[in-house]
């Protein structure tokens, strides 16, 4: 069993952090193989950001493939760029606050929607949209047990404990949304 | 030993620290900046020294100086930066100074692309500087292997008093993967390693002309220069015992993929996909790309093997020339290539394998 | 009878110098040896030589030495001193090495205030390679690569390394001396001593620029070369302490 995930969005949406949290959780609390691969360019700010996470029971060859099992898109340009890489029957997770469902021009993929930009703003901090989306993804796929992912987030945020309650709420909101769309 | 998720560059740096590396000098260049950045944070914690040199040229020479004074020392860069270091590396080879350096290679030639590539194969294995010296060149295909080979590289360098190159690429350098880290050398072990170099290291000696430390990256006397080159050649010949290669399902293979580094892990996953579909593919993966494991190609069953498929992220192909020397005309050698910072795709390799099998 | 002078212990008697007659490299190398003897630093000394005539004495000095790639001596010395702080690390470089190909390393090591000593030999010409133009070649002075003499419009002006390094904050000691008279030889020896003392005291970057002759490539006999230093070189490269702190 191998899961290939691509996470894509604007720079600043926490796309890399989302991928790293997931990969760290898989490393820390499972026996599975895992890779995290960030795509990188010359620009320091702006533009699109994307990363690839592979979680597998077997040996991992390419840390990024041509064909994705799952795709998380946080903005419109990422949808047009990456939707073609999603395999038939794969799952597309969209930030429905700013990605228009009508732009999903494929009917051979599963669609999971989460208005994470709006939800983050409602929770009082626009930055937690990636943690909400991570919750959605883990709640829907259970590729790694949700409690393990939360342990990892808690550990990584260890130096900023006052951010923990907000992130906890964000992650649980995401889990709830993800589970509801199973 | 618990595994930790680490970025390739940082894992290489930590492995070096654990091997007793206490001096690092480097200069920023993508995609290896995490190596100097990691050393900048880490060296003060272990009583080591990090210097950001004013250039690649200065950095490699700082490492030459530190290693010549007996300290395990390292530098790193990426393709064009490695080209700049080549003079200093040649000096280390000529003067028999043990250093370790890493090339997290990117596209080329020229400034090339900052994304991953394997365009530096000839540079790494054939001519890393002037004068025809040779080095052990170790090519990891996973972050764990990058850790293990870096750790071992310092022992090889000290054993041979010669530079050792870790030839990785932008994928291995920037990806994260779980690793188990080797044990940290103790201060006593590090001091003992340094003490073992006291005779030749340039740190000052009691007045005695015959026993001073004289580090000479060249000779005025042509006879002595020839003798030094003959000694070096004998050292290089002794590396046959150090050849490392992974041979995977080669014996009955109808197509054998030959690849190193990141291309090899992709190639290996293609072998698995093929075998699951009943297709007989195999893999030969040089881990030491110099010396090259030519003998591994004698293990192919040429009565069933239709072709060897050279897979590399370099256009024009470079590894293929060594592969051909290993195959010795016993079957065709085909290529599956990409370049320019594009990463080898499993699907492309699979198509190339199928094309050979369908012939 | 009281012994008032003896040969430095640091020069191997049965070895022959590779320097031309009248070359002041041999004077400076002797002075370095005397200073090491007098300061009791022979067993801590490491000379990092550049490429060029500045490496011709390596066969006859009796203390530790290493050859750096052309221009990189201050970088090599940086690595050595940072990892071997109890050693006395000094570079010995000519004008092509220190002021041309190695300018970046020279200025950067000075700017970091590396705790090393630089002995910089300025004779206004490339010696070993056969009299090519150096960054310190005087205007009008002929060189094999400037057959009509150095022309400002084409080649720029002689570089004054003491003054250039004096623009930096970190260096602790910069002095220009010469070896053209006995008095100047003594001043040079004192300057070398001071540069080494600064390093022992951890004060940082010291550089002694020594204006010397190259009779062979200047096309002058050794005595005329002394006059050339006095009349031509020193007006362009005035002697004295540029910085001492």
């Amino acid at each position: 069993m191998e899961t290939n995930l691509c996470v894509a969005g604007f720079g600043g949406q926490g796309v890399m952090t989302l991928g790293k949290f997931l990969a760290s959780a898989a490393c820390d609390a499972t026996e599975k193989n895992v890779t995290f691969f960030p795509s990188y360019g010359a620009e320091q700010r702006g533009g699109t950001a994307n990363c690839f996470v592979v979680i597998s029971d077997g040996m991992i060859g390419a840390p990024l493939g041509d064909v994705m099992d799952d795709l998380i898109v946080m903005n419109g340009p990422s949808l047009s760029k990456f939707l073609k890489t999603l395999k038939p029957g794969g799952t597309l997770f969209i930030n429905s606050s700013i990605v228009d469902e009508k732009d999903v021009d494929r009917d051979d993929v599963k669609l999971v929607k989460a208005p994470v930009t709006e939800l983050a703003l409602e929770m009082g901090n626009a930055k937690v949209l990636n943690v909400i989306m991570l919750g959605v993804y883990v709640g829907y796929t259970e590729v790694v047990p949700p409690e393990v992912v939360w342990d990892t987030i808690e550990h990584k945020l260890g130096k900023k404990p006052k951010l923990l309650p907000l992130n906890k709420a964000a992650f649980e909101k995401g889990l709830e949304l993800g589970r509801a769309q199973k | 030993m618990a595994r930790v998720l680490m970025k390739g560059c940082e894992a290489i740096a930590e492995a070096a620290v654990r091997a007793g590396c206490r001096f690092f000098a480097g200069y920023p260049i993508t995609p290896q900046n995490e190596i100097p950045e990691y050393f900048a944070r880490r060296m003060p914690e272990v009583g080591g020294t990090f210097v950001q040199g004013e250039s690649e040229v200065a950095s490699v020479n700082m490492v030459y100086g530190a290693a010549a004074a007996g300290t395990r020392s390292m530098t790193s860069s990426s393709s064009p930066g490695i080209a700049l270091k080549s003079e200093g590396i040649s000096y280390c080879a000529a003067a028999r100074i043990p250093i370790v350096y890493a090339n997290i290679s990117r596209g080329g030639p020229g400034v090339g692309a900052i994304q991953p590539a394997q365009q530096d194969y000839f540079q790494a294995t054939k001519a890393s500087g002037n004068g025809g010296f040779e080095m052990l060149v170790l090519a990891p295909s996973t972050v764990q292997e990058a850790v293990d080979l870096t750790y071992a590289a310092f022992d090889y360098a000290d054993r041979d008093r010669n530079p050792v190159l870790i030839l990785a690429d932008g994928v291995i350098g920037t990806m994260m993967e779980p690793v188990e880290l080797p044990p940290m050398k103790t201060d006593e072990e590090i001091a003992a390693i340094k003490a073992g170099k006291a005779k030749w290291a340039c740190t000052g000696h009691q007045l005695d002309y015959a026993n001073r430390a004289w580090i000479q990256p060249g000779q005025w006397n042509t006879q002595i220069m020839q003798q030094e080159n003959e000694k070096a050649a004998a050292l290089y010949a002794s590396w046959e015992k150090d050849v490392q290669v992974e041979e995977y399902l080669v014996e009955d293979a109808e197509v054998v993929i030959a690849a190193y580094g990141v291309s090899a892990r992709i190639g290996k996953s293609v072998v698995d996909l093929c075998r699951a579909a009943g297709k007989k593919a195999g893999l030969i993966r040089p881990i030491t790309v110099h010396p090259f494991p030519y003998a591994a190609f004698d293990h192919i069953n040429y009565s069933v093997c239709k072709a060897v498929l050279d897979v590399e992220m370099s256009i024009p192909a470079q590894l293929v020339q060594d592969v051909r020397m290993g195959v010795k005309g016993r079957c065709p050698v085909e290529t599956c290539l990409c370049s320019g910072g594009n990463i080898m795709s499993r699907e492309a390799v699979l198509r190339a394998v199928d094309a050979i099998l369908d012939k | 009878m009281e012994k008032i002078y003896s040969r430095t212990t640091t020069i191997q008697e049965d070895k022959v110098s590779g320097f031309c007659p009248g070359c002041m490299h041999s004077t400076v190398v002797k002075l370095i040896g005397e200073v090491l003897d007098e300061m009791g630093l022979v067993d801590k000394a490491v000379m990092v030589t550049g490429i060029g005539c500045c490496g011709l004495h390596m066969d006859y000095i009796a203390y530790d030495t290493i050859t750096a790639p052309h221009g990189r001596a201050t970088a090599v010395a940086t690595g050595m001193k940072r990892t071997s702080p109890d050693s006395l690390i000094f570079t010995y470089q000519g004008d092509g090495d220190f002021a041309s190909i190695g300018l970046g390393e020279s200025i950067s090591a000075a700017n970091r205030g590396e705790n090393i000593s630089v002995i910089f030999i300025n004779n206004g010409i490339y010696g070993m390679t056969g009299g090519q133009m150096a960054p310190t070649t005087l205007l009008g002075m002929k060189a094999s690569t400037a057959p009509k003499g150095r022309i400002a419009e084409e080649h720029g002006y002689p570089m004054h390394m003491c003054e250039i390094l004096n623009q930096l904050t970190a260096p602790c000691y910069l002095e220009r001396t010469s070896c053209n008279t006995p008095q100047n030889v003594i001043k040079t020896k004192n300057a070398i001593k001071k540069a080494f003392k600064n390093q022992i005291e951890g004060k940082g970057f010291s550089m002694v620029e020594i204006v010397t002759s190259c009779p062979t490539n200047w096309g002058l006999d050794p005595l005329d070369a002394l006059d050339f230093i006095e009349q031509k070189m020193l007006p362009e490269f005035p002697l004295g302490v540029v910085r001492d702190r």
Side-chain angles (χ1 to χ4, degrees), chain B residues 47 78 93 122 134 143 158 177 203 216 227-228 230 240 292 352:
Chain B
S78 180
F122 286 158
E134 297 181 24
V143 178
D158 281 352
E177 214 169 21
T203 56
Q216 307 176 82
Q227 285 163 15
E228 291 299 318
E230 284 166 354
E240 202 56 38
F292 191 83

Side-chain angles (χ1 to χ4, degrees), chain A residues 43-136:
Chain A
E43 301 85 2
Q44 284 289 295
R45 294 284 179 273
T48 59
N50 57 281
C51 66
F52 302 87
V53 177
V54 184
I55 299 171
S56 177
D57 295 319
M59 163 247 161
I60 298 173
L64 74 169
D66 288 356
V67 183
M68 293 296 140
D69 302 300
D70 299 326
L71 172 64
I72 298 174
V73 293
M74 301 291 266
N75 67 346
S78 296
L79 181 72
S80 48
K81 187 172 176 188
F82 289 103
L83 183 56
K84 58 183 174 291
T85 68
L86 189 60
K87 72 172 186 189
T91 309
L92 171 67
F93 300 79
I94 59 170
N95 171 8
S96 55
S97 301
I98 56 171
V99 179
D100 193 337
E101 191 184 340
K102 290 198 290 290
D103 292 336
V104 181
D105 55 2
R106 284 179 60 174
D107 52 13
D108 61 342
V109 298
K110 289 173 271 190
L111 181 65
V112 178
K113 293 177 289 182
V116 292
T117 300
E118 288 160 68
L119 288 171
L121 286 170
E122 278 168 25
M123 298 181 94
N125 187 334
K127 285 186 178 173
V128 294
L129 83 168
N130 61 337
V131 176
I132 304 174
M133 186 55 98
L134 178 58
V136 173

Side-chain angles (χ1 to χ4, degrees), chain B residues 294-316:
Chain B
Y294 297 107
F297 292 84
D298 295 338
H299 302 158
I300 295 171
N301 181 351
Y302 290 100
S303 63
V304 297
C305 184
K306 295 182 169 179
V308 170
L309 178 65
D310 169 79
V311 178
E312 54 180 313
M313 283 159 44
S314 172
I315 295 175

Side-chain angles (χ1 to χ4, degrees), chain B residues 23 51 54 57-58 61-62 64-66 68 71 91 194 202-207 209 212-215 217 220, chain C residues 9 12 15 43 51 58-59 61 63-67 69 72 75-76 79-80 82-84 87 105 108 112 128:
Chain B
F23 184 84
V51 181
E54 59 271 25
V57 175
N61 284 297
M62 290 175 187
Y64 171 42
T71 297
Y91 268 66
K194 192 166 184 171
C202 260
T203 56
H205 282 79
Q206 287 295 321
L207 186 64
Y209 177 79
R212 67 176 169 150
W214 184 8
I215 293 178
W220 300 121
Chain C
T9 64
Q12 188 70 7
K15 295 286 177 182
D43 61 352
I51 296 287
M58 295 182 80
D59 196 30
I61 59 172
Y63 48 91
D64 287 6
T65 183
I66 176 172
T67 301
R72 318 303 170 209
V76 172
M80 299 190 112
R82 294 282 191 111
T83 55
S84 188
S87 303
E105 282 77 5
S108 299
R112 289 191 303 269
M128 181 180 279

